[in-house]
């Protein structure tokens, strides 16, 4: 699953309502009191007693409970929630007063306060369900205390109505999660709360909660991790890294921000982390998995077998996609390019089949998805057997026949669509021909940027290809996939690319190459799992859209009847 998976994760944000700033909530609160005063009672004392004081008290109670329990739920979110509840009650009172007395309308309306508060607090206080329900009842408890003094006749109806609305809210949450729990054995509510809080404050604690959720639903799966190291003497000049995991889903969660994490965990800045043939079905659970990749990189520095020759770059087309390949020693570098029929991500299994068949020709190989031509409607590529066989057939006679001459440079630039690894360039000189690999840290590449780069560097290089790392760090705070070049000046980006190419050309020298591969056990998503999660979420939303109006309407009539007949 490619962009469909990304869109699923991003679509969750559409259900997150951003809370206004403090100033806005305070102003809205004042407006609320004024409206309550003049539209409901035309009595300032009733306004203060029945609306102002309860509103202030419930906010203070909520803040105290939240802070005491150390649950992340910002004060402005509390104010906004209670403001919405109060306005809802005011609207109800205005309608009810057309038919019933003021006290009847007041207590009937505010008996529903627990409904929305339960839907919210039960999610964010999921690990303390008893306290969550008690907190949800704060507003109702305040009005229950008033009842013996101003509405003795409504004590029992108010209790019954409050119970009805609370049960309905819990029932809606149950309906929305039952299928997910049955399928994956995990309650998604605490994932939702951690997800929302992560978008709000990006704390390591919330990353940990989200990662733990994925760890609990993912499986143990083995996948290769390879390195292609270019040596100058005993020191690695540059290390091509090929981890067969997907660098998602977003932000710092799971394997996302893979480039920076590997740089931090290895202490090496000369890593070029390529996007291999993986999809969101190959997301890993947490940093423990990323550290395993870092350990493979470190162990690969002990490689003894090194080669001194390389081939030219070869390009050929297979049906709707292009293949770029180059041989280093007895190792094959293969990249699949979405130049004609655009695809987004490549199925892991088909990539591994290709890699396995190439083992009959080369000692080792790395299969890369260039991920360099963004299209919103692109879908993952799954290689057919005939495609794999044709690739192998075209490659079997390619030989390394010239000394490996290589230059390397990097630009750790900042940008709105650029990840922390910026731009990295490797330039190879084959006889009198210079060839460049440009790796940009981002989630795919804006359509047209590849062609612009190729035309802008043609006097520097005889052949060039651009790749993206597919780093999802760039799309966690913007409601789109944000491919490289979509929110930054192309002129500035290309200037940095040209400067990096020039630096790489200036340090071209003879190097040797080694390759190292290990099969690593990861906590990784199952094939088709994210699509199944997406389907269940969509189905749950459909059921909730039906059940909320029906249950709420039924609850309202139950509450109304309790006030009329009890």
């Amino acid at each position: 699953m490619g962009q469909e998976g990304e869109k699923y994760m991003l679509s969750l944000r559409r259900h997150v309502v951003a809370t206004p700033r403090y100033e806005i909530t305070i102003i809205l609160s004042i407006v609320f009191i004024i409206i309550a005063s003049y539209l409901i009672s035309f009595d300032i004392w009733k306004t203060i007693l029945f609306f102002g004081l309860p509103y202030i008290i419930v906010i203070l109670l909520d803040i105290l409970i939240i802070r005491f329990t150390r649950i992340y739920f910002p004060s402005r979110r509390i104010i906004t929630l209670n403001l919405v509840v109060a306005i809802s009650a005011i609207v109800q009172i205005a309608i009810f007063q057309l038919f019933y007395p003021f006290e009847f309308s007041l207590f009937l309306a505010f008996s529903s306060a627990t409904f929305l508060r339960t839907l919210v607090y039960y999610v964010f206080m999921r690990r303390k369900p008893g306290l969550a329900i008690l907190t949800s009842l704060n507003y109702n408890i305040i009005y229950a205390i008033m009842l013996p003094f101003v509405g003795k006749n409504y004590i029992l109806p108010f209790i019954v109505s409050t119970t009805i609305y609370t049960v309905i809210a819990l029932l809606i949450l149950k309906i929305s999660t039952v299928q997910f729990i049955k399928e994956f054995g995990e309650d998604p509510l605490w994932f939702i709360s951690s997800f929302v809080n992560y978008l709000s404050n990006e704390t390591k604690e919330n990353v940990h909660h989200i990662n733990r959720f994925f760890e609990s639903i993912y499986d143990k799966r083995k996948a290769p991790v390879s390195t292609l190291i270019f040596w100058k003497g005993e020191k690695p000049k540059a290390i091509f890294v090929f981890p067969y995991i997907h660098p998602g889903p977003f932000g710092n969660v799971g394997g996302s921000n893979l480039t920076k994490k590997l740089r931090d965990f290895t202490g090496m800045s000369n890593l070029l982390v390529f996007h291999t043939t993986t999809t969101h079905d190959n997301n890993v659970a947490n940093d423990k998995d990323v550290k395993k990749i870092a350990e493979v990189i470190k162990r690969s520095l002990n490689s003894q077998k090194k080669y001194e020759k390389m081939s030219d770059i070869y390009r050929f087309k297979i049906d709707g996609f292009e293949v770029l390949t180059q041989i280093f020693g007895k190792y094959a570098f293969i990249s699949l390019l979405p130049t004609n029929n655009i695809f987004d991500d490549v199925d892991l299994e088909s990539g591994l089949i290709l890699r396995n068949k190439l083992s009959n020709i080369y000692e080792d190989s790395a299969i890369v998805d260039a991920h360099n031509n963004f299209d919103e409607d692109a879908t993952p590529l799954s290689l057919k057997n005939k495609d794999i066989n044709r690739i192998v057939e075209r490659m079997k006679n390619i030989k390394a026949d010239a000394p490996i001459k290589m230059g390397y440079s990097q630009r750790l630039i900042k940008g709105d669509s650029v990840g922390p690894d910026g731009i990295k360039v490797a330039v190879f000189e084959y006889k009198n021909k210079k060839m460049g690999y440009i790796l940009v840290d981002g989630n795919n590449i804006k359509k047209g940027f590849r062609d612009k780069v190729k035309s802008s560097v043609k006097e520097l290089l005889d052949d060039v290809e651009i790749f993206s790392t597919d780093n999802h760090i760039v799309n966690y705070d913007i409601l789109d996939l944000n491919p490289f070049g979509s929110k930054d000046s192309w002129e500035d980006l290309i200037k940095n690319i040209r400067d990096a190419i020039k630096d790489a050309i200036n340090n071209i020298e003879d190097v040797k190459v080694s390759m190292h591969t290990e099969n690593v056990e990861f906590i990784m998503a199952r094939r088709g799992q994210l699509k199944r999660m997406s389907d269940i979420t969509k189905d749950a939303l459909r059921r909730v859209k039906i059940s909320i109006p029906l249950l709420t309407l039924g609850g309202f009539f139950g509450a109304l009847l309790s006030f009329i007949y009890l």
Side-chain angles (χ1 to χ4, degrees):
M1 175 173 282
Q3 287 177 17
E4 183 181 352
E6 295 182 56
K7 290 173 183 175
Y8 165 67
M9 298 307 302
L10 288 169
S11 69
L12 294 178
R13 299 176 211 189
R14 295 190 176 95
H15 305 291
V16 178
V17 179
T19 52
R21 293 160 48 190
Y22 280 109
E23 307 93 282
I24 297 175
T25 53
I26 291 171
I27 292 171
L28 287 176
S29 297
I30 295 172
V31 172
F32 143 70
I33 293 174
I34 294 173
I35 292 174
S37 174
Y38 286 95
L39 294 184
I40 303 302
S41 64
F42 295 99
D43 186 326
I44 190 63
W45 295 110
K46 282 187 176 181
T47 297
I48 293 172
L49 177 62
F50 294 130
F51 300 100
L53 281 178
Y55 179 70
I56 294 170
I57 292 171
V58 76
I59 288 174
L60 293 175
L61 281 174
D62 288 357
I63 290 174
L64 286 173
I65 291 173
I66 293 297
R67 290 188 178 180
F68 178 75
T69 55
R70 296 182 179 179
I71 294 170
Y72 180 77
F73 197 84
S75 297
R76 63 179 180 179
R77 199 184 288 171
I78 292 172
I79 296 171
T80 302
L81 171 62
N82 288 309
L83 183 61
V84 172
V85 169
I87 291 175
S88 171
I90 290 170
V91 172
Q92 292 181 61
I93 293 170
I95 296 172
F96 297 158
Q97 276 194 290
L98 298 174
F99 310 98
Y100 303 105
F102 173 77
E103 286 77 11
F104 181 104
S105 303
L106 174 75
F107 293 112
L108 173 60
F110 274 102
S111 68
S112 69
T114 182
F115 176 72
L116 181 58
R117 288 168 56 83
T118 300
L119 289 177
V120 174
Y121 280 130
Y122 199 78
V123 171
F124 285 89
M125 303 174 72
R126 188 69 180 95
R127 286 173 294 173
K128 300 177 180 179
L131 185 61
I133 293 174
L134 180 62
T135 305
S136 302
L137 289 169
N138 278 346
Y139 227 146
N140 296 62
I141 291 171
I142 292 170
Y143 282 95
I145 293 172
M146 293 183 188
L147 281 167
F149 304 100
V150 295
K152 289 182 180 181
N153 295 334
Y154 302 119
I155 293 177
L156 182 58
F158 186 83
I159 293 173
V160 172
S161 180
T162 295
T163 303
I164 290 172
Y165 279 115
T166 303
V167 171
I168 286 174
L170 294 172
L171 187 59
I172 289 171
L173 292 174
K174 181 72 173 179
I175 291 171
S176 67
T177 59
V178 63
Q179 190 176 354
F180 193 99
I181 294 172
K182 182 179 179 181
E183 182 85 14
F184 298 107
E186 279 291 338
D187 188 341
L189 293 181
W190 66 268
F191 166 75
I192 293 171
S193 65
S194 297
F195 179 76
V196 173
N197 285 341
Y198 175 73
L199 295 179
S200 298
N201 72 343
E202 305 160 27
T203 62
K204 290 182 179 180
E205 180 183 4
N206 289 311
V207 173
H208 171 73
H209 290 327
I210 298 171
N211 286 347
R212 188 162 61 86
F213 173 83
F214 286 128
E215 185 175 3
S216 66
I217 67 172
Y218 287 173
D219 293 334
K220 291 182 179 179
R221 297 176 61 185
K222 283 193 173 183
V225 175
S226 299
T227 60
L228 191 67
I229 305 180
F230 297 93
W231 298 88
K232 180 58 182 177
E234 297 302 314
K235 293 184 178 181
K237 185 179 182 75
I239 303 175
F240 288 11
V241 183
F242 310 99
Y244 289 82
I245 69 163
H246 189 267
F250 57 86
N252 281 293
V253 174
S256 193
N257 207 11
L258 183 62
T259 54
K260 184 178 185 302
K261 290 177 181 178
L262 288 178
R263 192 202 316 161
D264 292 343
F265 294 153
T266 62
M268 304 176 192
S269 61
N270 59 343
L271 306 178
L272 289 85
V273 185
F274 286 87
H275 177 44
T276 56
T277 55
T278 56
T279 71
H280 276 271
D281 286 337
N282 310 113
N283 287 337
V284 294
N286 53 43
D287 284 357
K288 294 177 184 177
D289 298 297
V290 178
K291 287 178 180 178
K292 292 179 180 179
I293 299 172
E295 292 303 313
V296 173
I297 295 171
K298 292 177 182 178
R299 286 193 291 270
S300 71
L301 297 176
N302 298 320
S303 299
Q304 297 299 315
K305 185 183 290 187
K306 298 173 184 176
Y307 295 99
E308 301 177 350
K309 298 291 183 72
M310 71 178 183
S311 74
D312 195 357
I313 284 180
Y314 291 86
R315 295 176 183 266
F316 51 90
K317 292 184 179 179
I318 301 291
D319 289 339
F321 62 93
E322 184 181 352
V323 179
L324 176 151
T325 186
Q326 188 173 14
I327 308 304
F328 298 98
K330 294 185 179 179
Y331 313 124
F333 174 85
I334 304 101
S335 178
L336 308 179
L337 309 172
T339 50
N340 295 325
N341 293 341
I342 301 175
F343 57 84
D344 180 81
D345 289 342
V346 180
D347 177 64
L348 173 62
E349 280 67 21
S350 58
L352 294 182
I353 292 172
L354 172 58
R355 187 172 175 275
N356 185 55
K357 289 199 173 186
L358 287 170
S359 65
N360 296 322
I361 306 172
Y362 303 103
E363 289 185 9
D364 207 343
S365 59
I367 320 296
V368 168
D369 169 14
H371 219 246
N372 61 6
N373 196 7
F374 177 75
D375 188 299
E376 288 187 353
D377 299 318
T379 57
L381 172 68
S382 184
L383 296 173
K384 301 175 184 177
N385 282 330
K386 66 175 184 178
D387 298 331
I388 293 172
N389 292 333
R390 287 173 65 188
I391 293 172
V392 173
E393 182 66 24
R394 293 291 297 269
M395 291 185 60
K396 68 180 183 181
N397 294 321
I398 302 176
K399 304 294 182 183
D401 58 357
I404 305 175
K405 295 178 180 292
M406 181 205 190
Y408 168 74
S409 182
Q410 64 185 34
R411 290 290 186 277
L412 300 182
I413 64 172
K414 293 183 179 180
D416 291 332
S417 61
V418 184
D421 236 26
I423 297 167
K424 297 191 173 182
V425 173
V427 174
F428 295 94
E429 187 175 305
Y430 176 80
K431 299 178 180 178
N432 293 322
K433 179 181 179 182
K434 291 184 177 64
M435 309 167 297
Y437 293 149
I438 303 165
L439 180 65
V440 299
D441 198 23
N443 184 5
N444 214 314
I445 296 173
K446 184 76 171 177
K447 185 179 289 187
F449 187 76
R450 172 181 179 266
D451 293 336
K452 184 68 174 177
V453 169
K454 289 174 75 72
S455 64
S456 299
V457 302
K458 59 185 179 182
E459 86 279 9
L460 299 174
L461 300 170
D462 299 290
D463 197 353
V464 64
E465 194 53 70
I466 185 168
F467 308 80
S468 80
T469 61
D470 197 25
N471 191 350
H472 287 54
I473 188 68
V474 297
N475 69 354
Y476 77 97
D477 61 351
I478 300 172
L479 195 57
D480 60 28
L481 302 182
N482 194 23
F484 185 92
S486 63
K487 293 179 174 62
D488 298 294
S489 165
W490 284 19
E491 183 179 347
D492 292 342
L493 293 175
I494 290 174
K495 181 183 182 302
N496 278 284
I497 289 173
R498 285 179 56 86
D499 289 345
I501 291 172
K502 291 175 184 177
D503 286 351
I505 291 174
N506 289 334
N507 66 68
I508 289 177
E509 55 189 340
D510 290 331
V511 296
K512 296 181 180 180
V513 68
S514 67
M515 192 165 186
H516 178 81
T517 297
E518 294 183 25
N519 281 317
V520 179
E521 185 176 81
F522 297 107
I523 305 298
M524 183 186 289
R526 298 190 298 272
R527 190 172 188 179
Q529 187 174 45
L530 192 61
K531 183 179 185 303
R532 181 60 182 153
M533 289 174 64
S534 176
D535 292 342
I536 289 175
T537 302
K538 290 174 183 176
D539 183 61
L541 288 173
R542 281 195 296 268
R543 285 186 282 113
V544 166
K545 286 177 182 178
I546 296 172
S547 62
I548 282 182
L550 292 177
L551 289 172
T552 304
L553 189 62
F556 166 71
F557 280 114
L560 180 62
L561 291 174
S562 68
F563 268 79
I564 294 174
Y565 293 107
L566 292 181

